[in-house]
Amino acid sequence: MSWEANVRKVTPYTAGEQPKGQGVIKLNTNESPYPPAPGVKRVLHEYDADLLRRYPDAGTEPLRSELAAYYDVEKERVFVGVGSDDVLAMAFLTFFNHPSLPILFPDITYSFYDVWAELFRIPYQVQALDDHFRIKEEDYLKPNGGVIIPNPNAPTGELAPAAMFERILRANPDAVVIVDEAYIDFGGESCLRLTDRYENLLVVRTFSKSRALAGLRIGYAFGSPKLISCLQDAKYSFNSYTMNSVTLSAGVEAVRDDAYFREITDKVVATRERSKKELAALGFSFTDSKSNFIFSSHEKYSAKELFEALREHNIYVRHWDKPRIDNYLRISIGTDEEMDALFAFLREYITARGN
Amino acid sequence: MSWEANVRKVTPYTAGEQPKGQGVIKLNTNESPYPPAPGVKRVLHEYDADLLRRYPDAGTEPLRSELAAYYDVEKERVFVGVGSDDVLAMAFLTFFNHPSLPILFPDITYSFYDVWAELFRIPYQVQALDDHFRIKEEDYLKPNGGVIIPNPNAPTGELAPAAMFERILRANPDAVVIVDEAYIDFGGESCLRLTDRYENLLVVRTFSKSRALAGLRIGYAFGSPKLISCLQDAKYSFNSYTMNSVTLSAGVEAVRDDAYFREITDKVVATRERSKKELAALGFSFTDSKSNFIFSSHEKYSAKELFEALREHNIYVRHWDKPRIDNYLRISIGTDEEMDALFAFLREYITARGN
């Protein structure tokens, strides 16, 4: 039937596997190995469910104000969505509408960017990272319809300095520049403060990694009041109420508990640094990740071989059959115990093969 | 700055006011006057918040399977989204891509349809309801890029027979036909069973009205496996995880408690029928609503005047300053006590003015 002729053709993003069952060590989707702030549980357990007959706050309060207070910005500079994917999808739709120029992003990066570009029929041009998987600043100084770069980049974990983004912003007053800071809380320098000076900068964040709330779906963004207002209008034209009432309240508690947030991010960072030493001793090389994962390659065993051996052993990491990165594994940072189980398996695997 | 030149220009949908505070009688957004099923509270209160560090099920399980079982369809025929607005937005994006023909919908209808059409740059042509606010079937038999009609229609409450939709479907094998059944549970005949025979039919529903869960944001849809698979692909290209884990579990309980669902919808229907009598006695005329609201006009006092007088008295109903309907009020069905307070105010208002 020809109704199909008018269906928007897409090739969807493929998320990491979500294996279930006991004994699985899940280091494949960059989730937190620690539970969310205790206040989240309290909100759920004390929630007055009768209130759910009412629509939530369309302006995403009280979470929007709580984020504004925590990050010390006016609330007109804050946007909240259903995970950073929702924020990014809405930003692509809102800002990337140049009649002819392509948007620019790295060749090795979050693999949802080209999916959104295809979905919304936005022309794009990927810019190759250098041989050390670093952003080449000069690639983003040419005329474009928009720029999006994650910092740290994924799946490489490479951090670029905020000063690089400032130079890119200075060269691009006519396009919106998005810095995707999904992993910034694990030791990077944020571009947040640049939003005061660059009206066209959008900084996007998520609760899914550092705030241990992937299951609740909360993303947010900072920008100039004018930029955020455009994003809000598009959101109100898509779905008035994207964030449910329970999530808005639980999110507030996750933001409020700063001590807990620092505790779990510090633990992840400490485990990451220790993991780098362990992996190096096992013959792996890797970028100097500032995120909650390590992107690494073994001197002797192919990533695909290791990926499959690990998987058989119920240890899940991420591997892409893509040019340039097909010999790399992206290993999320788990608890110390989980990482030790990984290292033990790898040590045994390598020893058994006589090296 | 010229980044603004490439911003998608939109005029957002305006949702009904959400007044807060004690003593407010809120009959303006078609929310349920009753709390959600008791199982929803139980899910929240017993939820293992530690699980929230993990991503939710991208396939919207277990809610998708629960809906499939309840409505006795295969789960490949069910789609779940963040309220029916999310489902409808995604359906517009997915299905309404004809290169030239406009989509068709009534002139008086849910005022989000033209917002989505503008957002996605879909050409559309509104079809005038007849003088009794009824759909004119023949308007939807001409060539088009898609059809969307709510049944019952909003804000009129008018129900059309499923047989009319079958005739429209028969005339439109080359376009997707969406029946928006947000209010069907209050006494209408659903088009659900037609999805077996018409591959191009999408039936959209919501938990916000009859299931008293506006605050949780759950919408769903039925269609042929092929149609639903297109919608899933578009959804996976927009946001892998739209539904959070808590919502997916709470939604299951709302579906499971059929006795409670029937009890509260029956109560709303009984109050609606009594309200028709009361309003008629007060000099109102209205369509024979089969929804959870009444669309009515007074023989003597203008809708705007009554709207403002009610609002001043903390009773909120809905009024639109739009051609053809500017002399109508849409009054959501509240509890019997809330409706009695409305009638008492109106009686006093009318009596004080000597009629």
Side-chain angles (χ1 to χ4, degrees):
Chain A
M1 279 193 183
S2 70
W3 63 267
E4 290 177 75
N6 299 317
V7 168
R8 192 168 288 250
K9 302 293 177 300
V10 292
T11 309
Y13 171 78
T14 312
E17 292 175 272
Q18 294 290 1
K20 276 155 196 160
Q22 294 254 307
V24 165
I25 295 183
K26 200 168 166 302
L27 307 174
N28 69 333
T29 55
N30 299 341
E31 292 154 330
S32 174
Y34 303 108
V40 170
K41 181 189 280 189
R42 210 167 46 239
V43 165
L44 294 179
H45 291 197
E46 293 171 3
Y47 202 84
D48 180 0
D50 290 2
L51 297 176
L52 292 174
R53 70 189 181 87
R54 296 283 191 222
Y55 280 97
D57 186 280
T60 62
E61 292 293 349
L63 184 53
R64 192 185 189 194
S65 289
E66 190 69 31
L67 283 164
Y70 181 85
Y71 288 104
D72 193 22
V73 299
E74 306 99 298
K75 79 169 187 182
E76 289 69 28
R77 294 178 168 273
V78 182
F79 179 83
V80 175
V82 183
S84 59
D85 286 347
D86 181 48
V87 177
L88 289 166
M90 209 52 73
F92 270 60
L93 182 66
T94 308
F95 300 122
F96 294 163
N97 296 290
H98 197 281
S100 56
L101 289 173
I103 63 166
L104 310 177
F105 51 82
D107 63 338
I108 298 167
T109 195
Y110 185 30
S111 40
F112 223 132
Y113 298 158
D114 56 354
V115 173
W116 286 313
E118 298 279 355
L119 178 68
F120 299 129
R121 297 163 178 174
I122 301 164
Y124 64 96
Q125 205 183 78
V126 298
Q127 310 298 311
L129 298 179
D130 73 14
D131 290 343
H132 303 284
F133 292 147
R134 288 194 203 111
I135 305 281
K136 287 184 288 176
E137 181 183 325
E138 63 272 25
D139 289 345
Y140 301 89
L141 307 180
K142 62 190 162 202
N144 62 68
V147 168
I148 176 158
I149 301 174
N151 197 40
N153 194 7
T156 66
E158 273 287 349
L159 184 78
M164 181 196 85
F165 288 98
E166 183 154 20
R167 289 188 296 271
I168 290 174
L169 280 158
R170 235 182 262 136
N172 282 289
D174 293 346
V176 171
V177 175
I178 302 178
V179 184
D180 180 352
E181 294 191 342
Y183 301 100
I184 200 71
D185 291 327
F186 301 103
E189 184 196 357
S190 173
C191 289
L192 167 53
R193 294 301 148 203
L194 295 178
T195 61
D196 290 342
R197 292 208 301 283
Y198 298 90
E199 204 182 43
N200 55 327
L201 167 62
L202 188 75
V203 173
V204 179
R205 303 267 189 90
T206 178
F207 280 43
S208 299
K209 320 294 180 185
S210 56
R211 294 193 187 274
L213 276 175
L216 261 196
R217 316 305 301 125
I218 306 178
Y220 58 111
F222 301 111
S224 62
K226 203 184 266 184
L227 198 77
I228 295 298
S229 154
C230 295
L231 202 52
Q232 287 279 34
D233 279 354
K235 177 247 162 182
Y236 284 127
S237 295
F238 189 90
N239 187 353
S240 314
Y241 307 98
T242 51
M243 303 296 295
N244 77 46
S245 307
V246 178
T247 303
L248 289 169
S249 298
V252 165
E253 292 302 315
V255 177
R256 243 176 223 170
D257 198 339
D258 189 48
Y260 183 81
F261 170 66
R262 284 172 196 271
E263 180 195 327
I264 63 171
T265 46
D266 286 353
K267 274 159 78 174
V268 168
V269 168
T271 306
R272 178 188 71 206
E273 294 308 311
R274 182 173 78 84
S275 299
K276 286 177 184 169
K277 289 183 193 129
E278 298 272 4
L279 287 170
L282 287 163
F284 283 91
S285 59
F286 36 80
T287 58
D288 187 27
S289 170
K290 298 294 180 196
S291 64
N292 68 341
F293 55 82
I294 297 175
F295 193 58
S296 63
S297 166
H298 195 268
E299 60 192 11
K300 191 162 164 200
Y301 301 101
S302 83
K304 201 178 164 85
E305 171 185 345
L306 291 173
F307 170 75
E308 281 164 7
L310 285 163
R311 198 166 180 281
E312 207 151 300
H313 201 70
N314 258 339
I315 301 176
Y316 287 76
V317 299
R318 194 94 195 256
H319 173 252
W320 287 270
D321 246 330
K322 282 186 179 176
R324 293 190 75 185
I325 60 168
D326 56 355
N327 203 28
Y328 283 79
L329 296 177
R330 191 195 66 185
I331 304 168
S332 306
I333 303 300
T335 60
D336 279 310
E337 295 68 32
E338 288 172 325
M339 299 314 280
D340 285 339
L342 169 76
F343 305 140
F345 173 83
L346 290 170
R347 202 171 294 120
E348 199 176 308
Y349 187 89
I350 290 164
T351 311
R353 275 151 194 81
N355 183 16
Chain B
M1 279 188 182
S2 71
W3 62 268
E4 290 177 75
N6 300 317
V7 168
R8 191 169 288 249
K9 303 291 178 301
V10 291
T11 308
Y13 171 77
T14 312
E17 293 174 90
Q18 294 289 1
K20 276 156 195 158
Q22 294 253 308
V24 165
I25 295 183
K26 199 166 169 301
L27 307 173
N28 69 333
T29 55
N30 298 342
E31 292 154 331
S32 173
Y34 303 108
V40 170
K41 180 189 281 188
R42 209 166 50 237
V43 166
L44 294 179
H45 292 197
E46 294 172 2
Y47 202 84
D48 179 0
D50 290 3
L51 296 177
L52 292 174
R53 70 190 183 86
R54 297 283 192 224
Y55 281 97
D57 186 280
T60 63
E61 292 293 349
L63 184 52
R64 193 185 189 196
S65 289
E66 191 69 31
L67 283 165
Y70 182 84
Y71 288 104
D72 194 23
V73 299
E74 307 98 300
K75 78 169 189 185
E76 290 68 28
R77 293 177 169 273
V78 181
F79 180 83
V80 175
V82 183
S84 58
D85 285 348
D86 181 48
V87 177
L88 289 166
M90 209 51 74
F92 270 61
L93 182 67
T94 308
F95 300 121
F96 294 163
N97 296 289
H98 196 281
S100 56
L101 289 173
I103 63 166
L104 310 177
F105 50 82
D107 63 339
I108 299 167
T109 195
Y110 185 30
S111 41
F112 223 132
Y113 298 159
D114 55 355
V115 173
W116 285 314
E118 298 279 356
L119 177 69
F120 298 129
R121 298 164 177 173
I122 301 163
Y124 63 96
Q125 206 183 77
V126 298
Q127 309 299 310
L129 297 179
D130 73 14
D131 290 342
H132 303 284
F133 291 147
R134 290 196 201 108
I135 306 280
K136 286 184 288 171
E137 180 184 325
E138 63 272 24
D139 289 345
Y140 301 90
L141 307 181
K142 61 190 161 201
N144 62 67
V147 168
I148 178 160
I149 301 173
N151 197 41
N153 195 7
T156 65
E158 274 286 347
L159 183 78
M164 181 196 84
F165 290 98
E166 183 154 19
R167 288 189 296 270
I168 291 174
L169 279 159
R170 235 182 263 137
N172 283 289
D174 294 347
V176 171
V177 175
I178 303 178
V179 183
D180 180 352
E181 294 192 342
Y183 301 101
I184 200 71
D185 292 327
F186 301 104
E189 184 196 356
S190 173
C191 289
L192 166 54
R193 294 302 149 201
L194 295 178
T195 61
D196 289 343
R197 292 206 302 282
Y198 298 91
E199 206 182 41
N200 56 327
L201 166 63
L202 189 75
V203 173
V204 179
R205 302 268 188 90
T206 179
F207 280 44
S208 299
K209 319 294 179 184
S210 55
R211 294 194 186 273
L213 276 175
L216 260 197
R217 317 304 301 126
I218 306 176
Y220 57 112
F222 301 110
S224 63
K226 202 184 266 182
L227 198 78
I228 294 298
S229 155
C230 295
L231 202 53
Q232 288 279 35
D233 280 353
K235 177 246 162 182
Y236 284 128
S237 295
F238 189 91
N239 188 354
S240 312
Y241 308 98
T242 51
M243 302 297 295
N244 78 44
S245 307
V246 178
T247 303
L248 289 170
S249 298
V252 165
E253 292 303 315
V255 177
R256 247 177 221 168
D257 198 339
D258 189 48
Y260 182 80
F261 170 65
R262 283 171 197 270
E263 180 194 327
I264 64 171
T265 46
D266 285 354
K267 273 159 77 174
V268 168
V269 168
T271 305
R272 178 188 72 206
E273 295 308 311
R274 182 174 77 84
S275 297
K276 286 177 184 170
K277 288 185 193 128
E278 297 273 4
L279 287 170
L282 287 163
F284 283 90
S285 58
F286 36 80
T287 58
D288 186 28
S289 170
K290 297 296 180 195
S291 65
N292 69 339
F293 55 81
I294 296 174
F295 194 56
S296 64
S297 167
H298 195 267
E299 60 192 11
K300 191 162 165 198
Y301 300 103
S302 84
K304 201 178 164 86
E305 171 185 345
L306 290 173
F307 170 75
E308 282 164 5
L310 284 163
R311 199 166 178 280
E312 207 152 299
H313 200 71
N314 258 338
I315 300 176
Y316 288 75
V317 299
R318 194 92 197 256
H319 173 251
W320 288 270
D321 245 331
K322 282 187 178 173
R324 294 191 75 184
I325 61 168
D326 57 355
N327 203 28
Y328 282 79
L329 296 177
R330 190 195 67 186
I331 305 168
S332 306
I333 303 301
T335 60
D336 279 308
E337 295 68 32
E338 288 173 325
M339 298 314 281
D340 285 339
L342 168 77
F343 305 140
F345 173 83
L346 289 170
R347 201 170 295 120
E348 198 176 307
Y349 186 89
I350 290 165
T351 310
R353 275 151 195 82
N355 182 17

